[in-house]
């Protein structure tokens, strides 16, 4: 049977030693995030994930969600009770604003908890995860009245939240949307249209659902510049906070999906539903991007989280399963065969997973920490740099981590051999669940285009050049640490390759936009590898400095980092070569030749 145990020790290493959150006690919320408090959150969160959520993972997959005749939706057995425990224990309030009842802790702490939820039960975790994103968008763009009415209940996740973008005829190209909003003269609008693929659009976990809906006000400009954002509650909320009449928003159907069966993916029909404008007319995408960016980091985390649970179970299997003998001689003479962990190719697969997971965890938490600095640092330059990093790296976190996370899930299944292809061992569900992460919240191809087309050249390339400067500064300091040679050589090489690819795109991408499009996938992967190389070099330096402790954790960290540098980082050269081929060979193939 599959299992999940939160990697608490590695999370502690990243939060306490790599990020050193305890040194930022001057920032709002950080004073309360002492190592003891963080450790307690991690330890209790690990118990909740293992004992409450993970046992429901297979249940949710096999039962799925059911739409009833009255358009209500039943979630899998155990989900409502687990959700109530989640809310009662205050987990959604970890990083929510104190004025909304939240604890105001750093987002970097909250993301560790979110990883546990996603690893233990990805489909379940989408309900509070999307609610948090909707809450953040409301806080960013809503009026004081809207915040007061909906904020506290959304912060606590007592009321759920959704994001409604896609329509049957348009996904990424939201400028084509047809959902309309008609002003009523009293500050409300009547929303009419259909949205699809709405995660948690209807469910039996909460008494109210607050939908954030993109729609076009009558007479609005064509295209994306004419889109506005609205709050459309399932139940109207009275001035005293009690629930009023049922709004005319309903679930028209549930999607039958490859994975994440425990999450209700709904067709939502809005038939003159009452809504309230969030922010300014025709500026809806500006606010919705707050939720979308939050969701994209969350989806990247899902890739990492599914890789983690796949790795844990693959490692268990490799230790227990005996098959054949080691190529260099018998390793387990008391057994009829050696554990498959002795075989180099099995080790390759496991180490590919392990090196990716630990590097990706450091990268994701570091990126989340940049969001904390962007919003909380008193230093304008620090806020600017952190904001630049968030803009530049969000598409990398989303696309690179989901691509490699899905590869890792498949490697976990492969280690299991034929057993992995059966339900009993749980890996086939991990693979199916993980596959959506490369698609939703903007496909990975869209993320790559966003990186090279919008983020790379913003402010004259300020963000990427700042990233290069930070790496250079680290290298100059770390070169004085004995034992860092291999890690720094790998980082220097990757950094130079990323700069080479960056300059090539800046020189060739504007003259022929197809060059940018054709190179975008490999450029994003080149940046992802470089980011992980930076994280591994930083983790190696910390581990070398702790060598005196003789702690096996640091010894394992250094060994895993050496594998990353020797066996995974060389892929950067291939990505650079493909970046610099441009669009010629790709666009030369005619339609008839496909």
């Amino acid at each position: 049977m599959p299992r999940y145990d939160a990697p608490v020790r590695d999370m502690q290493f990243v939060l306490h030693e790599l990020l050193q959150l305890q040194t930022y006690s001057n920032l709002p919320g950080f004073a309360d995030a002492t190592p003891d408090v963080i450790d307690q959150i991690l330890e209790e969160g690990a118990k909740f994930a293992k004992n409450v959520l993970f046992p429901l993972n297979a249940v949710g997959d096999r039962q799925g969600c059911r739409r009833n005749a009255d358009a209500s939706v039943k979630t899998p057995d155990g989900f409502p009770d687990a959700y109530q425990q989640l809310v009662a224990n205050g987990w959604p309030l970890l990083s929510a604003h104190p004025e909304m009842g939240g604890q105001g802790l750093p987002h970097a702490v909250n993301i560790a908890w979110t990883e546990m939820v996603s690893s233990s039960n990805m489909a379940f975790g989408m309900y509070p995860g999307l609610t948090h994103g909707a809450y953040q968008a409301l806080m960013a763009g809503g009026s004081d009245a809207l915040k007061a009415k909906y904020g506290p209940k959304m912060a606590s996740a007592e009321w759920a939240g959704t994001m409604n973008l896609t329509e049957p005829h348009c996904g990424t190209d939201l400028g084509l949307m047809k959902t309309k909003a008609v002003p009523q003269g009293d500050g409300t609008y009547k929303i009419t249209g259909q949205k699809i693929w709405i995660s948690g659009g209807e469910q039996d976990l909460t008494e109210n659902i607050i939908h954030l809906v993109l729609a076009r006000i009558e007479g609005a400009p064509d295209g994306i510049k004419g889109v506005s954002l609205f709050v459309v509650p399932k139940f109207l909320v009275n001035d005293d906070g009690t629930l009023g009449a049922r709004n005319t928003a309903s679930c028209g159907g549930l999607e039958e999906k490859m994975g994440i069966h425990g999450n209700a993916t709904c067709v939502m029909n809005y038939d003159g539903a009452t809504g309230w404008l969030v922010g300014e007319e025709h500026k809806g995408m500006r606010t919705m991007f707050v939720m979308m960016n939050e969701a994209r980091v969350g989806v990247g985390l899902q890739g990492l989280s599914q890789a983690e649970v796949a790795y844990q179970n693959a490692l268990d299997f490799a230790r227990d399963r005996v098959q054949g003998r080691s190529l260099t001689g018998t390793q387990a003479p008391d057994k009829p065969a050696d554990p498959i962990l002795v075989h180099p190719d099995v080790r390759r697969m496991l180490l590919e997973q392990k090196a990716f997971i630990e590097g990706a965890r450091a990268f994701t938490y570091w990126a989340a920490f940049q969001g904390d600095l962007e919003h909380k640092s008193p230093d304008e330059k620090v806020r600017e740099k952190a904001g630049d990093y968030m803009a530049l790296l969000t598409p990398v976190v989303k696309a690179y981590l989901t691509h490699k996370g899905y590869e890792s899930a498949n490697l976990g299944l492969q280690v299991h051999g034929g057993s992995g292809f059966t339900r009993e061992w749980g890996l086939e569900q991990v693979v199916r669940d993980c596959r959506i992460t490369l698609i939703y919240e903007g496909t990975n191809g869209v993320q790559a285009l966003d990186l090279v087309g919008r983020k790379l050249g913003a402010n004259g390339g300020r963000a990427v050049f700042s990233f290069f400067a930070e790496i250079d500064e680290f290298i100059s300091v770390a070169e004085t640490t004995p034992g860092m040679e291999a890690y720094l050589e790998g980082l220097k090489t990757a950094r130079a390759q990323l700069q080479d690819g960056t300059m090539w795109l800046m020189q060739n991408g504007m003259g022929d936009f197809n060059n940018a499009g054709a190179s975008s996938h490999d450029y994003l992967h080149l940046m992802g590898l470089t980011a992980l190389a930076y994280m591994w070099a930083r983790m190696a330096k910390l581990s070398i400095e702790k060598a005196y402790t003789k702690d096996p954790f640091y010894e394992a960290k250094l060994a895993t980092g050496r594998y990353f540098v020797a066996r995974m980082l060389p892929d950067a050269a291939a990505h650079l070569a493909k970046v610099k081929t441009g669009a010629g060979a790709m666009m030369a193939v005619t339609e008839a030749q496909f």
Side-chain angles (χ1 to χ4, degrees):
M1 295 294 291
R3 60 115 178 160
Y4 171 69
D5 291 284
V8 171
R9 179 68 183 88
D10 201 53
M11 293 173 171
Q12 291 171 325
F13 171 73
V14 174
L15 295 173
H16 299 329
E17 299 181 57
L18 182 68
L19 299 183
Q20 296 185 327
L21 296 186
Q22 65 273 15
T23 65
Y24 292 86
S25 58
N26 61 310
L27 302 184
F30 278 73
D32 296 327
T34 63
D36 287 347
V37 168
I38 291 175
D39 287 348
Q40 185 176 7
I41 289 170
L42 296 179
E43 290 161 7
E44 292 302 315
K47 294 175 186 176
F48 189 87
K50 179 177 182 176
N51 299 326
V52 178
L53 299 183
F54 188 69
L56 297 175
N57 193 43
V59 174
D61 182 58
R62 295 178 185 183
Q63 288 189 2
C65 297
R66 185 181 73 238
R67 180 179 178 273
N68 301 312
D70 62 357
S72 64
V73 169
K74 181 186 182 304
T75 58
D77 292 346
F79 273 44
D81 180 64
Y83 192 90
Q84 293 310 308
Q85 290 184 57
L86 178 96
V87 172
N89 291 334
W91 288 113
L93 291 167
L94 285 179
S95 63
H97 303 79
E99 60 269 26
M100 293 293 157
Q103 297 182 42
L105 294 173
H107 185 46
V109 175
N110 187 63
I111 206 164
W113 153 249
T114 305
E115 181 192 336
M116 296 181 193
V117 175
S118 185
S119 282
S120 59
N121 196 323
M122 178 174 155
F124 178 94
M126 293 171 64
Y127 293 109
L130 283 166
T131 296
H132 186 71
Y135 159 79
Q136 292 284 32
L138 186 65
M139 292 299 102
S143 66
D144 289 343
L146 289 178
K147 292 177 186 178
K149 178 168 283 192
Y150 301 107
K153 294 280 191 179
M154 294 180 73
S156 67
E158 291 175 73
W159 291 351
T162 70
M163 56 190 300
N164 289 240
L165 291 80
T166 306
E167 300 184 3
H169 60 282
C170 71
T172 301
D173 191 355
L174 292 172
L176 299 176
M177 72 173 53
K178 297 178 180 178
T179 300
K180 65 179 181 179
V182 180
Q184 300 300 295
D186 60 355
T188 67
Y189 293 76
K190 292 298 183 184
I191 312 297
T192 302
Q194 186 178 79
K195 299 290 184 175
I196 62 172
W197 303 336
I198 309 306
S199 300
E202 180 60 64
Q203 35 78 1
D204 56 359
L205 308 178
T206 62
E207 64 178 1
N208 205 3
I209 305 173
I210 313 304
H211 303 290
L212 292 189
V213 183
L214 288 177
R216 190 182 304 281
I217 298 174
E218 286 187 325
D222 292 335
I224 201 69
K225 294 182 179 179
V227 172
S228 300
L229 180 63
F230 299 88
V231 161
V232 185
K234 175 181 174 180
F235 286 97
L236 302 181
V237 179
N238 299 319
D239 290 341
D240 63 359
T242 59
L243 298 185
R246 179 76 154 82
N247 212 345
T248 50
S250 62
C251 172
L254 290 177
E255 302 293 349
E256 295 291 336
K257 309 185 297 292
M258 175 180 176
I260 56 170
H261 295 155
N263 192 268
T265 306
C266 302
V267 175
M268 292 300 298
N269 296 323
Y270 295 92
D271 300 307
T274 301
W276 285 262
L277 182 68
V278 179
E280 301 177 47
E281 290 186 356
H282 319 318
K283 300 289 178 64
M285 287 306 300
R286 179 185 301 173
T287 304
M288 185 58 89
F289 266 121
V290 173
M291 183 173 186
M292 291 170 68
N293 285 335
E294 170 114 1
R296 285 169 177 171
V297 172
V299 172
L301 190 70
Q302 287 178 334
L304 162 63
S305 70
Q306 295 304 291
E308 173 66 41
V309 73
Y311 168 71
Q312 289 187 19
N313 288 278
L315 179 59
D316 289 348
F317 189 89
R319 285 171 168 162
D320 294 339
R321 176 71 165 174
V322 295
Q323 198 89 152
R325 291 295 186 186
S326 168
L327 298 175
T328 57
T330 299
Q331 300 296 308
D334 59 325
K335 297 180 180 179
D338 288 332
I340 63 172
L341 186 58
V342 305
H343 301 308
D345 195 56
V346 173
R347 285 174 166 256
R348 172 189 65 82
M349 291 186 283
L350 291 170
L351 284 168
E352 289 278 326
Q353 291 179 280
K354 188 175 193 291
F356 161 71
I357 289 164
E358 292 181 17
R361 179 172 294 116
F363 177 41
T364 307
Y365 291 20
W366 177 79
F369 177 57
Q370 302 306 312
D372 286 318
L373 293 178
E374 178 186 10
H375 293 105
K376 296 182 177 181
S377 175
D379 188 320
E380 182 179 353
K381 285 296 183 183
V382 171
R383 292 198 306 273
E384 177 184 87
K385 178 181 176 182
D388 284 349
Y389 279 178
M390 287 298 293
L392 178 72
L393 296 174
T394 291
V396 182
V397 170
K398 194 279 182 187
Y400 184 71
L401 266 61
T402 58
H403 185 102
K404 298 298 291 185
Y406 182 63
E407 285 186 353
S408 292
N410 275 284
L411 287 172
L413 188 151
Q414 187 73 17
V415 169
H416 280 73
S419 299
F421 204 63
T422 66
R423 275 192 168 185
E424 177 184 357
W425 296 87
L427 267 293
E428 60 87 30
Q429 181 190 344
V430 174
V431 171
R432 287 187 290 103
D433 285 352
C434 192
R435 186 59 184 86
I436 186 58
T437 65
L438 287 74
I439 299 172
Y440 61 13
E441 301 305 337
T443 66
N444 286 2
V446 169
Q447 301 303 314
L449 282 174
D450 180 44
L451 175 64
V452 302
R454 296 177 64 242
K455 305 301 178 55
L456 193 59
N459 301 305
R462 185 177 69 198
V464 72
F465 291 121
S466 177
F467 187 51
F468 290 146
E470 179 168 331
I471 291 175
D472 291 341
E473 182 179 356
F474 169 79
I475 290 172
S476 67
V477 172
E479 282 178 324
T480 62
T481 302
M484 282 294 295
E485 293 79 11
Y487 306 99
L488 292 181
E489 188 58 37
L491 177 57
K492 289 178 185 177
T493 301
R495 181 237 182 268
Q497 289 165 333
L498 180 61
Q499 182 166 352
D500 190 1
T502 301
M503 299 311 297
W504 188 91
L505 273 173
M506 288 183 172
Q507 293 164 8
N508 296 277
M510 293 302 294
D512 182 351
F513 292 152
N514 278 336
N515 279 334
S519 300
S520 60
H521 168 85
D522 287 287
Y523 181 80
L524 184 145
H525 279 249
L526 178 56
M527 183 171 284
L529 272 169
T530 305
L532 261 62
Y534 177 41
M535 294 298 114
W536 269 115
R538 290 183 58 178
M539 291 190 292
K541 184 174 184 294
L542 289 168
S543 298
I544 288 171
E545 292 168 352
K546 291 293 183 69
Y548 70 91
T549 66
K550 304 297 183 182
D551 187 336
F553 175 85
Y554 299 111
E555 296 172 6
K557 187 68 71 175
L558 289 169
T560 306
R562 285 193 293 271
Y563 180 89
F564 173 82
V565 171
R567 299 278 304 191
M568 297 174 70
L569 196 51
D571 288 349
H575 287 302
L576 174 62
K578 287 187 277 189
V579 165
K580 296 174 73 173
T581 62
M586 189 178 294
M587 304 309 293
V589 180
T590 68
E591 182 177 347
Q593 291 170 334
F594 275 94

